[in-house]
Amino acid sequence: MSDTFDLVIIGAGPAGYLAAASASQKGMKTAIIENRQLGGTCLNRGCIPTKTLMHSSQLYRQFLNADSVGIHAEALSFHMDEIQAQKESVITQLRSGIAALLKKNKVTVLEGTGTILDRNLVQVGETRLETRNILICTGSVPAMPPIPGIHLPNVLNSDAMLDRDSLYRRLIIIGGGVIGMEFASIYRDLGAEVTVIEAMDRLLGNMDKEFSQSLKMLMKKRGVPVHTGAAVQEIRSGENGSLVCVFREKEQLLELEADGILVAAGRRPNTEGLLGEGVSLAMERGRICVNDHFETSIPGIYAAGDVTGKIQLAHAASAQALCAVAYMNQEQPPKNLTVIPSCVYTSPEIASVGLSPEEAKASGMHVRTVKYPMSANGKSVLSGEERGFIKITVQLPSERILGAQMMCARATDMIAIFAQAISGGLSVSQMSSVVYPHPTFSEGISEALSLFTPAEGK
């Protein structure tokens, strides 16, 4: 069996299904191939399930500490099987929405592994699809470093951890990046003993240093020991089914015992089964290399998202794929890919966009930074939020907004305000001219902007 298309997309995650809908709307006959579930990693094994679990765990922690606001809960408990059922309900609802979107746009959906046989031919099962263009959106999978003992029972990656119906009472997390710290928050909120081991010298190594320092202090306050600059040497079986993690920190060899170990040491591009015999794409350390139009070394074959090794964020992948479809049709890209927000859903939330002060100065720019403590924000005080901040990097003498870093409630929602400002080249005075409602968390943005005085910037 064979069929002919204008575009065949391999992978139905956020990049793939949005690109499919966009391509169809442009008049391209489109097929999308997925070997697991619609929605890809983000919906089924990443963003959505993790944040759903975090929503439940944060509510539990808030109720445990609700005495301070006059609410007294007795016999409070949680049930992981019911939390998991709620997570599955959310996933199912959103997955059905994706199916409806693809059906509405008349996208052909095929189940199986898509394998590229040549420039214009993709095979899935017994079906061969002829196509003018191919877009690879196969995403990434958890990386498992070569640590002795890493394949022992109860040593899990994030995929497996998300499906557990029971809670490890003692959990070690290898990796202090976004995935590791979000799981640390979930498990600690639910009462588990959690320890984080990070090889780099700080948490969230690719984000602003102040985030790392503040998050480490917050985790310590909540009873989560964090070992940075620590390298895991081995994992071995302990007594009564436990695990022992051996790691080196500051030339000292240490051992910790736990019931489970989460390996959150990053993700690697997913290219398994992608290329047929004789098909070769330019790659670098496992990632597919693309040009500025997201075209690979083979003309007509494009790639977007995690599989290209670029920033591993669902919204970045979606934007890249939409731009790739535009380039296929000789159109201007619909997204500004130079301004991509990053978010961490701990409590308080962490979000950033644009340049940090250090990055701006390293580029030779003359900048000034203003920082507003959210402990002075009315909504933060009345809702009992942890101390946080909003930090803004301003270019001089233009007073243009270059970047923002936020650690506060609703930071992941409010960061889009700064993304729009940076993309639009707005100045401090232009952002300040907006009236922010009171009392809101977003009012903190107005207060932060007010700390910049034009006289000091001239």
Side-chain angles (χ1 to χ4, degrees), residues 204-234:
L204 306 178
N206 62 341
M207 300 187 80
D208 188 85
K209 287 184 179 180
E210 193 164 359
F211 289 148
S212 306
Q213 296 163 354
S214 297
L215 186 57
K216 187 174 184 178
M217 291 174 59
L218 179 64
M219 288 290 108
K220 182 178 179 181
K221 179 181 176 182
R222 292 183 182 166
V224 178
V226 175
H227 299 269
T228 52
V232 176
Q233 304 297 299
E234 68 168 323

Side-chain angles (χ1 to χ4, degrees), residues 314-378:
H315 48 278
S318 299
Q320 292 166 12
L322 291 173
C323 289
V325 171
Y327 287 127
M328 291 175 201
N329 290 277
Q330 290 76 52
E331 298 175 356
Q332 289 298 309
K335 299 292 183 180
N336 179 0
L337 298 177
T338 64
V339 184
I340 303 292
S342 295
C343 301
V344 188
Y345 293 81
T346 48
S347 181
E349 294 179 346
I350 292 171
S352 67
V353 69
L355 299 177
S356 68
E358 294 76 17
E359 289 171 334
K361 290 174 183 176
S363 298
M365 297 180 181
H366 184 31
V367 299
R368 180 170 174 240
T369 303
V370 293
K371 180 181 174 183
Y372 173 74
M374 287 295 279
S375 57
N377 173 257

Side-chain angles (χ1 to χ4, degrees), residues 289-312:
C289 299
V290 295
N291 61 19
D292 292 341
H293 288 189
F294 299 96
E295 197 167 21
T296 69
S297 57
I298 299 178
I301 300 181
Y302 297 76
D306 289 10
V307 76
T308 66
K310 298 182 184 294
I311 184 169
Q312 293 184 339

Side-chain angles (χ1 to χ4, degrees), residues 268-271 282-289 306-309:
R268 59 177 177 80
N270 178 24
T271 57
M283 293 190 183
E284 183 179 291
R285 296 181 180 178
R287 70 177 184 89
I288 296 176
C289 299
D306 289 10
V307 76
T308 66

Side-chain angles (χ1 to χ4, degrees), residues 72-372:
H72 304 275
E74 297 181 2
L76 187 68
S77 65
F78 68 88
H79 301 273
M80 278 302 295
D81 57 340
E82 295 177 15
I83 291 175
Q84 287 287 8
Q86 164 62 8
K87 180 202 76 176
E88 290 302 319
S89 175
V90 169
I91 292 172
T92 299
Q93 180 180 340
L94 294 175
R95 194 186 294 149
S96 66
I98 295 170
L101 174 71
L102 295 173
K103 182 178 180 180
K104 177 183 177 181
N105 286 282
K106 297 180 174 58
V107 175
T108 299
V109 179
L110 295 155
E111 296 181 9
T113 297
T115 301
I116 300 172
L117 301 183
D118 67 25
R119 155 75 182 80
N120 299 105
L121 192 62
V122 177
Q123 180 156 343
V124 53
E126 299 299 319
T127 303
R128 290 194 172 192
L129 310 176
E130 295 182 14
T131 179
R132 290 196 301 112
N133 299 283
I134 298 170
L135 176 58
I136 302 167
C137 299
T138 49
S140 60
V141 294
M144 298 294 279
I147 299 171
I150 202 167
H151 298 296
L152 287 171
N154 293 311
V155 180
L156 308 178
N157 60 28
S158 57
D159 288 3
M161 188 67 94
L162 281 169
D163 290 333
R164 284 191 57 81
D165 284 334
S166 60
L167 190 77
Y168 288 121
R169 302 313 305 177
R170 298 175 300 170
L171 176 67
I172 292 172
I173 299 177
I174 300 174
V178 175
I179 295 172
M181 298 317 299
E182 289 185 349
F183 272 103
S185 296
I186 293 169
Y187 263 68
R188 186 56 189 150
D189 285 352
L190 296 177
E193 296 178 16
V194 180
T195 302
V196 177
I197 301 173
E198 168 55 47
M200 297 181 68
D201 61 359
R202 60 188 178 93
L203 301 175
L204 306 178
N206 62 341
M207 300 187 80
D208 188 85
K209 287 184 179 180
E210 193 164 359
F211 289 148
S212 306
Q213 296 163 354
S214 297
L215 186 57
K216 187 174 184 178
M217 291 174 59
L218 179 64
M219 288 290 108
K220 182 178 179 181
K221 179 181 176 182
R222 292 183 182 166
V224 178
V226 175
H227 299 269
T228 52
V232 176
Q233 304 297 299
E234 68 168 323
I235 300 168
R236 66 171 186 264
S237 298
E239 297 181 357
N240 302 316
S242 68
L243 293 165
V244 177
C245 183
V246 182
F247 63 100
R248 185 175 297 279
E249 182 181 15
K250 296 179 180 177
E251 304 307 317
Q252 187 177 7
L253 202 61
L254 303 172
E255 294 186 1
L256 288 175
E257 191 174 27
D259 304 309
I261 295 178
L262 167 63
V263 181
R267 300 179 65 86
R268 59 177 177 80
N270 178 24
T271 57
E272 185 176 354
L274 177 65
L275 303 178
E277 186 177 352
V279 179
S280 177
L281 294 175
M283 293 190 183
E284 183 179 291
R285 296 181 180 178
R287 70 177 184 89
I288 296 176
C289 299
V290 295
N291 61 19
D292 292 341
H293 288 189
F294 299 96
E295 197 167 21
T296 69
S297 57
I298 299 178
I301 300 181
Y302 297 76
D306 289 10
V307 76
T308 66
K310 298 182 184 294
I311 184 169
Q312 293 184 339
L313 296 168
H315 48 278
S318 299
Q320 292 166 12
L322 291 173
C323 289
V325 171
Y327 287 127
M328 291 175 201
N329 290 277
Q330 290 76 52
E331 298 175 356
Q332 289 298 309
K335 299 292 183 180
N336 179 0
L337 298 177
T338 64
V339 184
I340 303 292
S342 295
C343 301
V344 188
Y345 293 81
T346 48
S347 181
E349 294 179 346
I350 292 171
S352 67
V353 69
L355 299 177
S356 68
E358 294 76 17
E359 289 171 334
K361 290 174 183 176
S363 298
M365 297 180 181
H366 184 31
V367 299
R368 180 170 174 240
T369 303
V370 293
K371 180 181 174 183
Y372 173 74

